């Protein structure tokens, strides 16, 4: 198949140095390394002789044009790897859809946890957003990431979609999650203040914090903004766990302070989320300037690159 015009004069596949991942150069599994030092810069998103529609198509697919690791991770929140097919050339990028589902659920919740303008009630006022933004959009975005071969984004988005569905159902009276802890069946809302409910729900939040810690470690292969999101979410869940457990033993003041602190870290994660969402939307319309996300994929080299180096030295 003939290469696109802007990929001519590339170095041969036998070259040992490539400034970007091998999978950034071709989506076929048997693609070789290419060197962009002798050709046009991979950081240039739109050549002079390319129309706006073609540039947008190249940004969406990320497989017919060689792009930088930072740009791919900005668009898909995961290092690119070799995948079969051309689904990125057929469908749009689902990542912003999942992000906006997260942001329009978590940002109001963070403000409610901090009690801004008298907000409270465990986030019950934005119950609908947990279902139709957080749960539905994040799950939808995650499933679409699955078909594009983006495993990390698929797992992250689907797991948080499940979290928002869980939070929404917990606060929905018909699920009777808190009503089961009420001593008076006619007053199920009293279960929200019982020690049993607080102590039990704290375990769910604790293991959500553990999940975010694992995501935080994996995000070290992506960019600073994504790391900041999971850093904030990790402390959000840890502090919120402490708040529920302090409330279970009657320490209302400590519980309130921990809840405010958890809201602050959630707000930090949301600020980073809004930043990367805006960066993705600017890239999707080929805006004249782009927002940096702090690519750090080169800090921790991939396992496949290390294996190739080991095989090269042992040969």
């Amino acid at each position: 198949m003939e290469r696109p015009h802007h990929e001519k004069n590339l170095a041969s596949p036998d070259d040992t140095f490539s400034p970007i991942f091998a999978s950034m150069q071709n989506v076929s599994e048997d693609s070789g390394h290419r060197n962009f030092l002798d050709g046009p810069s991979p950081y240039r998103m739109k050549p002079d002789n390319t129309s706006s529609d073609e540039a947008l198509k190249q940004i969406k697919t990320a497989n017919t044009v060689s792009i930088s690791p930072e740009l791919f991770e900005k668009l898909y929140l995961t290092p690119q790897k070799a995948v079969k097919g051309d689904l990125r050339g057929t469908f749009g990028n689902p990542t912003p859809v999942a992000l906006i589902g997260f942001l329009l659920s978590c940002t109001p919740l963070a403000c409610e946890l901090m009690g801004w303008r008298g907000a409270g009630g465990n986030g019950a006022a934005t119950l609908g957003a947990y279902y139709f933004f957080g749960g539905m959009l994040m799950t939808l975005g995650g499933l679409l990431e699955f078909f594009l071969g983006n495993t990390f984004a698929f797992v992250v988005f689907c797991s948080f979609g499940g979290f928002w569905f869980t939070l929404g159902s917990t606060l929905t009276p018909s699920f009777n999650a808190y009503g089961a802890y009420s001593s008076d069946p006619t007053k199920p809302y009293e279960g929200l203040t019982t020690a049993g409910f607080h102590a039990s729900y704290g375990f769910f939040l604790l293991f959500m914090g553990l999940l975010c810690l694992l995501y935080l470690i994996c995000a070290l292969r992506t960019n600073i903004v994504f790391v900041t999101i999971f850093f904030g979410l990790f402390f959000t869940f840890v502090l919120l766990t402490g708040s529920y457990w302090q409330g279970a033993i009657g320490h209302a003041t400590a519980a309130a302070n921990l809840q405010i602190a958890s809201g602050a870290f959630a707000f930090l994660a949301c600020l980073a989320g809004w930043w990367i969402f805006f960066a993705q939307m600017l890239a999707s319309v080929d805006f004249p300037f782009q927002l940096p996300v702090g690519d750090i994929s080169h800090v921790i080299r991939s396992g496949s690159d290390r294996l190739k180096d080991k095989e090269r030295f042992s040969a």
Side-chain angles (χ1 to χ4, degrees):
M1 182 176 64
E2 184 179 355
R3 298 178 184 173
H5 175 71
H6 55 278
E7 289 190 354
K8 291 181 179 180
N9 298 325
L10 302 178
S12 65
D14 295 331
D15 290 339
T16 58
F17 172 75
S18 175
I20 64 173
F21 296 125
S23 55
M24 301 297 294
Q25 300 150 359
N26 193 300
V27 294
S28 61
E29 292 184 335
D30 58 349
S31 61
H33 289 270
R34 297 189 180 101
N35 197 319
F36 290 91
L37 297 180
D38 298 328
S41 170
Y43 291 84
R44 188 168 187 175
M45 295 169 53
K46 180 183 175 184
D48 295 336
N49 60 348
T50 304
S51 66
S52 298
D53 291 341
E54 181 64 21
L56 179 58
K57 179 181 178 182
Q58 291 173 350
I59 293 170
K60 289 196 305 179
T61 61
N63 62 356
T64 59
V65 63
S66 296
I67 62 176
S68 68
E70 180 180 359
L71 178 56
F72 187 88
E73 289 152 13
K74 181 190 297 184
L75 293 174
Y76 295 101
L77 304 184
T78 184
Q80 188 180 13
K81 66 176 184 178
V83 294
K84 292 182 178 180
D86 189 26
L87 291 179
R88 293 192 182 105
T90 305
F91 302 103
N93 179 13
T95 306
V97 173
L99 279 177
I100 200 61
F102 169 78
L103 292 171
L104 289 181
S105 299
C106 191
T107 310
L109 178 59
C111 298
E112 293 167 17
L113 290 174
M114 291 185 288
W116 284 1
R117 301 188 62 83
N122 293 309
T126 49
L127 178 62
Y130 305 153
Y131 282 115
F132 299 108
F133 274 102
M136 186 174 70
L137 291 188
M138 293 202 74
T139 302
L140 174 63
L143 292 176
L144 293 176
E145 295 282 4
F146 167 79
F147 289 110
L148 294 182
N150 300 329
T151 303
F152 183 51
F154 156 61
V155 175
V156 169
F157 292 154
C158 284
S159 61
F160 268 91
F163 166 76
W164 292 115
F165 277 128
T166 301
L167 178 59
S169 61
T170 300
L171 297 175
T172 301
S174 59
F175 280 86
N176 202 39
Y178 53 82
Y181 292 88
S182 175
S183 57
D184 186 351
T186 63
K187 299 178 179 179
Y189 56 86
E190 291 183 351
L192 284 169
T193 61
T194 62
F197 176 79
H198 280 218
S200 301
Y201 196 69
F203 284 106
F204 173 63
L205 298 173
L206 176 66
F207 289 106
M208 280 299 302
L210 175 62
L211 182 64
C212 289
L213 177 61
L214 300 181
Y215 289 158
L216 173 61
I217 296 173
C218 294
L220 295 175
R221 285 276 297 131
T222 59
N223 55 69
I224 293 176
V225 178
F226 215 28
V227 169
T228 303
I229 292 175
F230 288 118
F231 174 83
L233 290 176
F234 168 70
F235 282 101
T236 296
F237 286 114
V238 169
L239 292 170
L240 204 53
T241 300
S243 174
Y244 271 81
W245 283 351
Q246 288 295 313
I249 59 178
H251 295 171
T253 302
N257 291 336
L258 288 170
Q259 176 179 304
I260 293 173
S262 70
F265 275 101
F267 195 74
L268 171 65
C270 291
L271 290 178
W274 284 109
W275 178 274
I276 201 167
F277 172 77
F278 188 35
Q280 290 190 347
M281 296 309 295
L282 289 177
S284 70
V285 296
D286 194 21
F287 212 74
F289 69 87
Q290 302 295 319
L291 295 180
V293 296
D295 172 44
I296 55 174
S297 58
H298 58 280
V299 176
I300 302 178
R301 297 186 62 204
S302 66
S304 58
D305 286 344
R306 292 175 180 270
L307 180 60
K308 290 177 183 178
D309 289 343
K310 184 178 179 180
E311 292 176 348
R312 185 182 302 114
F313 290 138
S314 61

